[in-house]
Every structure is written in structure tokens, then in C-alpha cells.
Amino acid sequence: MNWFEIGFLLFLAAGLWGVFRIFYRRAGGPTHCVCCGKCTATGVCILTGRPVTDSGEKAHGGS
């Protein structure tokens, strides 16, 4: 391989890494509300299994 091929492969890898970071930057973080409304009915979030407080419902936008 010459330097142009190596440079192109590095450019391609950097582009794929950048796209991955844009789409999956919060994949490892906390789960966000999907606004299903179950937490207001049961008081427990179906995604995390944790009890939801009144302030959490307001922050999640639950109705």
C-alpha cells in the first residue's frame, strides 16, 4: 500500500467513527422517557423499573 491508500483508509475510518459518535453518543448513558404514560398510572418506569417521583414525571414530560 502506498501513502495515498493508507490516508484514504484512515479518512474513511475517521468518517465512520464520526458518524457513529453522532448517532450513538448517548447509547451508553441513562435511558430517556418514551412518553408511554405507564409511570403516571403505576408510579414505576417500565424502562428502568424504578419508582418515578413527581419531579421525575415533570422532567420526563409524562402526562
Side-chain angles (χ1 to χ4, degrees):
M1 284 188 172
N2 60 19
W3 66 270
F4 181 73
E5 292 172 343
I6 293 171
F8 179 73
L9 288 176
L10 289 174
F11 176 75
L12 184 63
L16 289 173
W17 179 80
V19 168
F20 177 79
R21 293 292 294 164
I22 289 171
F23 287 115
Y24 298 106
R25 65 179 153 212
R26 293 187 183 176
T31 309
H32 296 287
C33 182
V34 294
C35 299
C36 65
K38 297 277 185 174
C39 61
T40 57
T42 63
V44 178
C45 178
I46 63 168
L47 294 175
T48 61
R50 297 181 188 158
V52 179
T53 61
D54 290 336
S55 62
E57 289 176 2
K58 292 176 186 173
H60 289 289
S63 53

